[in-house]
Amino acid sequence: MKRRFVPLLTVCLLLSSCSGLPVAREMGDMALLRTIGVDAASTGVTVTGSTGPRAKGLQSEGEPALTLTAERESLSGACLAMQGQSDSYVFFGYVDQLLIGEDLGRTGIRPVLDYFARDSELGLGAQLWLVRGATAREAVVSGGEEGVDSRLETLQHDSEMGIAAISRTAGEVYADLLEWGSAFVPALSPAEEGDAVLTEHGYGVLKGDTLTGFLEGEEARGLELLAGGPADHILTVELPGSKVSAQITSAHTWSELEFRGNIPSALRLTCVVKARLTEYREPLHDRELERLQKELETREQRRLEAALEQMRALRCDCTGLGAKAAMGCPANWQAIQRDWPEWFARLPVEVTVQVKIEV
């Protein structure tokens, strides 16, 4: 029997005529969205997308950021409606920043995360931010012609360097909600003045998928210690005859559950903090170093306890202390896992902080 071969050119022509394949487009004919903001609306949701500055051509200056807004019953409907607002094809595959308004946070963000997880162009790699005291739309348009994607990227990079609040992807938050039933999200607010269009504003705490409260100030610093990713901050201590400043460079917190029989009796936390001296009178004597260490341990313990007090009041273990402790007692944990929020709220908590100073 003779084999029949279909010429390659014929195959290419057949494939090009298939309606199921995407139509090729020039990059100049596409509006590449970088940032999406989602808000609650009376009819469903409002979606606002921004491209950031767009290039006219290789030798031309950029165009202002393109901002599109649509309100529909569903997130997918709003995204589809945005297509008709631009002369270019609106492409969602470059979205790497997702902002959620506070009102939507209080009704539940799970539908948004589900949509990002299922959509072929989006995905859960986008950085997730909660907009506090304003709508996500107001945050997106606050960047004006330059857009907000540059500011959000700066905050993300600063977080990776340890000089800003902990940034989180939509996937990380989604995984925490599925595994722990809670999560924390960095919060931003439009700036009232200054060059930065968006400023850090603590952390939003999600219980289930619903915003249940905020941690800010010392509570936010304590949450960073619990999560093991503190933003660099400086502590200044008064010593006899001088002031000494130390920069917190890292922190790691371990949790342990104690049981009496099958009943949990205590949650023990150990936090190891590393600090580097930045301003001091040389040389520092052993007594001065010891006093500095004690003072730093006291201050960081207060921060931890402030965060824990608020989290326990919310019945929300948003840093997964119980789940992490469960690795040492899986059988006991299985028996209390369902009721862990209630146990977390009333269990005695013992906190130990150890500071290691690098001279």
Side-chain angles (χ1 to χ4, degrees):
M1 180 181 293
K2 294 183 179 180
R3 296 181 180 178
R4 295 183 178 180
F5 294 92
V6 180
L8 180 60
L9 178 60
T10 304
V11 174
C12 293
L13 290 174
L14 289 172
L15 288 175
S16 64
S17 64
C18 293
S19 60
L21 295 177
V23 179
R25 294 179 182 270
E26 296 292 335
M27 291 294 287
D29 295 333
M30 302 174 70
L32 307 178
L33 295 185
R34 294 292 310 281
T35 303
I36 283 184
V38 187
D39 292 299
S42 57
T43 59
V45 293
T46 299
V47 178
T48 305
S50 172
T51 61
R54 297 172 295 156
K56 291 182 178 179
L58 294 177
Q59 299 179 352
S60 303
E61 295 181 358
E63 294 181 346
L66 174 66
T67 302
L68 306 171
T69 301
E71 180 180 330
R72 291 293 187 275
E73 293 182 1
S74 65
L75 184 56
S76 56
C79 290
L80 183 61
M82 292 166 66
Q83 290 287 357
Q85 299 179 8
S86 172
D87 294 334
S88 303
Y89 175 76
V90 180
F91 183 61
F92 292 83
Y94 280 82
V95 170
D96 55 5
Q97 307 289 345
L98 169 60
L99 286 77
I100 293 182
E102 184 175 340
D103 286 348
L104 180 61
R106 296 194 181 280
T107 62
I109 71 168
R110 179 69 181 270
V112 179
L113 297 178
D114 286 342
Y115 181 73
F116 266 67
R118 295 167 183 164
D119 189 89
S120 59
E121 289 186 1
L122 293 169
L124 295 171
Q127 298 293 316
L128 179 60
W129 311 88
L130 181 69
V131 181
R132 185 176 180 184
T135 64
R137 182 182 184 281
E138 290 171 330
V140 172
V141 302
S142 66
E145 294 185 353
E146 295 297 320
V148 294
D149 55 291
S150 177
R151 172 59 177 163
L152 295 174
E153 286 177 355
T154 298
L155 288 171
Q156 176 187 342
H157 295 324
D158 287 350
S159 172
E160 294 169 356
M161 296 171 60
I163 56 177
I166 300 173
S167 62
R168 312 208 70 201
T169 66
E172 289 170 334
V173 173
Y174 200 20
D176 286 355
L177 292 178
L178 293 174
E179 183 178 358
W180 302 338
S182 59
F184 67 93
V185 184
L188 303 174
S189 294
E192 297 181 359
E193 57 183 17
D195 295 332
V197 296
L198 294 171
T199 59
E200 299 173 89
H201 206 159
Y203 297 92
V205 177
L206 301 176
K207 185 176 182 181
D209 69 334
T210 304
L211 176 65
T212 188
F214 290 97
L215 273 68
E216 58 183 331
E218 294 296 277
E219 295 172 354
R221 301 289 79 79
L223 182 142
E224 290 167 355
L225 294 172
L226 291 171
D232 274 352
H233 52 273
I234 307 293
L235 294 176
T236 301
V237 177
E238 290 276 359
L239 295 179
S242 67
K243 289 183 180 180
V244 178
S245 295
Q247 183 178 22
I248 305 302
T249 58
S250 69
H252 297 281
T253 299
W254 291 267
S255 55
E256 179 184 2
L257 275 169
E258 289 195 356
F259 287 82
R260 291 178 181 171
N262 296 325
I263 304 301
S265 58
L267 175 64
R268 299 183 186 277
L269 304 178
T270 302
C271 180
V272 177
V273 178
K274 290 185 178 180
R276 179 175 58 86
L277 296 183
T278 55
E279 299 177 53
Y280 56 97
R281 173 181 57 80
E282 292 195 53
L284 285 180
H285 302 299
D286 290 342
R287 281 188 185 177
E288 292 174 318
L289 284 173
E290 183 178 351
R291 181 169 178 176
L292 174 63
Q293 177 184 347
K294 295 296 184 183
E295 181 64 26
L296 295 179
E297 288 175 348
T298 299
R299 294 192 186 186
E300 295 298 70
Q301 180 159 340
R302 288 173 183 167
R303 288 174 164 175
L304 277 169
E305 291 173 346
L308 285 167
E309 181 179 359
Q310 181 67 1
M311 290 163 56
R312 282 154 60 86
L314 296 173
R315 286 174 166 74
C316 192
D317 180 12
C318 60
T319 58
L321 298 173
K324 294 173 184 177
M327 291 186 288
C329 50
N332 286 334
W333 170 254
Q334 189 175 7
I336 67 167
Q337 183 176 4
R338 180 176 297 180
D339 299 321
W340 173 243
E342 297 301 322
W343 284 111
F344 178 66
R346 65 175 187 264
L347 265 181
V349 178
E350 299 178 15
V351 179
T352 301
V353 177
Q354 301 171 5
V355 172
K356 299 179 179 180
I357 300 176
E358 301 172 353
V359 181

